[in-house]
Amino acid sequence: MQGRVHTPTWPGVIEAYRAFLPVTPQTPIVTLLEGNTPLVESVRLGPRLGLRLFFKLESANPTGSFKDRGMTVAVSKALEARCRAVVCASTGNTAASAAAYAARAGLLCLIILPAEGVAQGKLVQVFAHGARLVAVEGGFDAALAVTREVSERLGLALVNSLNPHRLEGQKTAAFEICDALGSAPDLLALPVGNAGNITAYWRGFVEYHAGGRITSRPRMLGVQAAGAAPLVDGRPVERPQTVASAIRIGNPASWQGAVTAVRESNGRFTKVSDEAILAAQKQLAAEEGLLVEPASAAGLAGLQQMAAAQPFNGETAVCILTGHGLKDPESLLRAGALPAPVTPTFDAVRRVIEPMVG
Ligand code: F0G
């Protein structure tokens, strides 16, 4: 009998949703076959909240975060425009994605990072893909400001989410959710930092609704870390602080888009403590089998906070798990350390195991 030959059929988000995206037959497509990420139903945490809850594993994208959806479009367009290099500021994931897609395209990639607070795994990705790196003092907001100036004055393609092509690509995640469920969920929860992603999701739902593919749109729940919650507090935060380094942002670039998404969807912004974020991260790993970086657990922490105030009633919710846990090993190391080794004999191992398995 012949073995089964696996033929990959998913073509990446541009080919899958070409009609919705700003590409032409002339656009050279730079893709790592991003998208088509799993929508995994919660077995424990959702039912406990009174929700039919799904997790969208954006961590399953080629560079481990949702950024790849926008980067395939932004880098394809940069290549089409014959840019000589791409540039971005980042808390890490945008940098990792830009570095990978630029490598794929054969373009030079320049990354401007805040000196403190970029998780190790993301730095490793930037180095490995051969991007050029500048570290600047201060946080992400200052890095983004100088990056905008560099892009304008030196004529380099900016691939932060200020680049409209990024959000166009990212909206495809909303399409995938609707395609998988056959309808829009009642509620969509996601972490909010620079606010591009919530803006992009809402655009996706609005377009699918206008095109008759869904008959309702979800309420958008935008979750920020308590120490970096400008959209909840209604004003920029000078020195944002949170363990969730990906969303340590005090003055989001897509502020208006996020406010519109929440207002038009009858949703809300909320903020959660670092403790709640880390507890949700741990629960996802230990009770659902899903390892995410701290920022990615914020959506779940937000849903848990809402449920504590007012129980849900069987609604369908989707929680976006934006980035992989392996990107930020420091945040997870407190979970355990390698125990002292024992002799590799049955008796020695049994002595260790017995108290564990009871
Ligand atoms: N989750 C993760 C894992 C992120 O990396 C980011 C943003 C967000 C959520 C928030 O998305 O900014 O669209 O509201 N990371 C950016 C970066 C800022 O530079 O990688 P947002």
Side-chain angles (χ1 to χ4, degrees):
M1 212 176 98
Q2 263 198 322
R4 194 178 153 178
V5 180
H6 177 71
T7 42
T9 51
W10 177 257
V13 298
I14 293 181
E15 293 304 346
Y17 294 109
R18 185 175 263 274
F20 292 89
L21 295 172
V23 292
T24 70
Q26 281 69 50
T27 312
I29 304 302
V30 182
T31 180
L32 294 167
L33 306 189
E34 59 296 310
N36 196 27
T37 56
L39 189 66
V40 177
E41 185 158 6
S42 166
V43 284
R44 296 198 178 79
L45 301 174
R48 211 179 284 159
L49 299 178
L51 286 172
R52 183 170 175 240
L53 178 62
F54 294 85
F55 299 112
K56 179 76 168 157
L57 304 198
E58 289 295 278
S59 47
N61 276 300
T63 76
S65 87
F66 70 96
K67 305 288 182 179
D68 297 344
R69 293 180 182 277
M71 210 53 77
T72 180
V73 183
V75 173
S76 296
K77 296 301 282 186
L79 202 59
E80 184 178 11
R82 298 182 193 282
C83 292
R84 61 196 166 99
V86 298
V87 63
C88 68
S90 182
T91 56
N93 281 324
T94 297
S97 185
Y101 280 78
R104 183 80 179 182
L107 279 174
L108 183 70
C109 179
L110 179 65
I111 306 283
I112 303 185
L113 288 181
E116 281 167 29
V118 175
Q120 287 292 328
K122 303 172 190 180
L123 275 181
V124 167
Q125 290 179 284
V126 169
F127 295 141
H129 292 302
R132 308 297 154 87
L133 191 61
V134 182
V136 294
E137 295 157 8
F140 171 82
D141 301 288
L144 181 58
V146 70
T147 303
R148 290 173 83 156
E149 191 176 344
V150 166
S151 129
E152 276 161 29
R153 294 178 63 174
L154 302 184
L156 310 179
L158 181 72
V159 293
N160 278 104
S161 54
L162 290 159
N163 176 329
H165 303 312
R166 276 276 312 279
L167 299 191
E168 288 296 304
Q170 282 175 213
K171 77 185 177 189
T172 60
F175 298 163
E176 286 180 19
I177 290 169
C178 299
D179 291 346
L181 294 177
S183 59
D186 299 311
L187 198 60
L188 189 110
L190 79 174
V192 176
N194 213 22
N197 211 27
I198 190 171
T199 304
Y201 268 93
W202 183 240
R203 188 180 296 172
F205 289 121
V206 166
E207 287 184 12
Y208 247 31
H209 190 247
R213 305 221 182 184
I214 48 174
T215 54
S216 65
R217 307 181 305 192
R219 279 185 289 145
M220 304 291 286
L221 175 63
V223 188
Q224 301 208 282
L231 288 160
V232 182
D233 300 343
R235 58 177 181 280
V237 175
E238 185 95 23
R239 280 194 188 75
Q241 280 306 332
T242 167
V243 66
S245 59
I247 53 171
R248 194 181 292 154
I249 294 175
N251 193 7
S254 295
W255 188 298
Q256 207 43 56
V259 168
T260 301
V262 162
R263 197 188 51 234
E264 289 185 354
S265 73
N266 198 22
R268 57 181 286 201
F269 292 114
T270 193
K271 56 182 174 182
V272 292
S273 68
D274 277 4
E275 292 70 34
I277 288 174
L278 291 173
Q281 181 194 28
K282 195 170 168 186
Q283 289 175 333
L284 281 166
E287 299 189 55
E288 299 280 359
L290 300 170
L291 188 61
V292 300
E293 63 172 290
S296 303
L300 174 63
L303 287 172
Q304 290 173 329
Q305 184 194 64
M306 272 178 88
Q310 178 161 14
F312 290 110
N313 195 15
E315 291 94 332
T316 298
V318 174
C319 183
I320 311 302
L321 303 186
T322 48
H324 204 287
L326 291 174
K327 282 171 169 282
D328 190 353
E330 305 99 311
S331 75
L332 292 160
L333 283 172
R334 75 195 84 203
L338 190 68
V342 298
T343 337
T345 60
F346 176 74
D347 282 341
V349 173
R350 187 179 60 185
R351 267 196 296 281
V352 182
I353 286 176
E354 259 168 5
M356 294 176 178
V357 294

